Amino acid sequence: GIAFPRGALDSMSHIRLLAPDGAEQSLQAASQARWPDGSVKWALLSFRADVPMSNTAAYVFEYGSKVKPASPRNKVTVDESSATVVVSTGPLRLVLDRKSFALPGQVWLDKNGDSLFSDDELLCGVKPGVGTLADTAGTAFTTLGTPDDVSVEERGPERAVILVKGHHVAQGGSKSFAFEARL
């Protein structure tokens, strides 16, 4: 996070980050607090840093009304439908089913770099991970039921946050053990 003096930054669209080589770095920034005049007080910055362990690197942060960032190069996308939420980073694709939630969802990795996700690039999702809990009577409750809510909490060029709320469900349909998962 970065703090700003009152009146110094009027819009989150007037910031950018330069990598150690001087090239513009893809950046996701969000205002966390504002001054009474509406200017940004605190901003949270998310970016991918590539710094060798044996070296130091200086990233340069620029802000002000004259700063105009370029469009992000590697953009995280989120596509929603009534059935699924699909998050794509380019080489990785995550599909969450709104009707039957299982961690971590279906995950593909574009191993050959052709921007397509084929069956042989599916990393997980054929046999979903199941969370199982038992009550004091020994009744088993799993996470395989329909979630109560699947919502996109945050979306931007660097990251997305998907919130899944639900309950563990017994074989007969009774619910217990509420859960929240953020991916």
Side-chain angles (χ1 to χ4, degrees):
I2 295 188
F4 295 93
R6 185 186 309 240
L9 180 62
D10 64 340
S11 169
M12 294 304 295
S13 64
H14 293 163
I15 62 173
R16 71 180 181 165
L17 186 68
L18 301 178
D21 65 1
E24 189 166 347
Q25 175 78 31
S26 184
L27 172 69
Q28 182 170 329
S31 173
Q32 300 299 295
R34 293 194 173 264
W35 290 101
D37 68 358
S39 63
V40 176
K41 187 175 187 178
W42 285 97
L44 177 64
L45 308 180
S46 297
F47 62 96
R48 287 175 259 180
D50 186 11
V51 181
M53 289 181 60
S54 61
N55 199 353
T56 59
Y59 285 79
V60 176
F61 177 68
E62 297 180 334
Y63 67 94
S65 60
K66 295 181 181 177
V67 173
K68 304 288 186 220
S71 296
R73 291 182 304 270
N74 300 321
K75 196 172 189 178
V76 173
T77 61
V78 179
D79 295 311
E80 296 182 77
S81 72
S82 60
T84 62
V85 175
V86 179
V87 179
S88 179
T89 67
L92 183 118
R93 179 178 176 206
L94 168 70
V95 177
L96 297 172
D97 189 324
R98 292 182 185 269
K99 304 293 183 213
S100 61
F101 177 66
L103 284 173
Q106 292 181 305
V107 181
W108 284 265
L109 178 63
D110 183 14
K111 297 174 187 174
N112 60 9
D114 66 357
S115 298
L116 301 172
F117 298 98
S118 58
D119 290 344
D120 64 325
E121 294 174 320
L122 180 64
L123 298 179
C124 63
V126 177
K127 293 184 178 181
V130 180
T132 303
L133 297 172
D135 63 12
T136 55
T139 304
F141 294 83
T142 72
T143 56
L144 291 178
T146 301
D148 299 332
D149 183 44
V150 178
S151 57
V152 180
E153 280 191 325
E154 183 179 343
R155 67 175 81 213
E158 287 298 310
R159 68 181 186 162
V161 178
I162 313 301
L163 171 63
V164 181
K165 292 182 180 181
H167 288 82
H168 289 72
V169 180
Q171 194 168 15
S174 62
K175 295 181 178 182
S176 189
F177 306 110
F179 71 85
E180 289 186 10
R182 283 182 172 80
L183 300 131

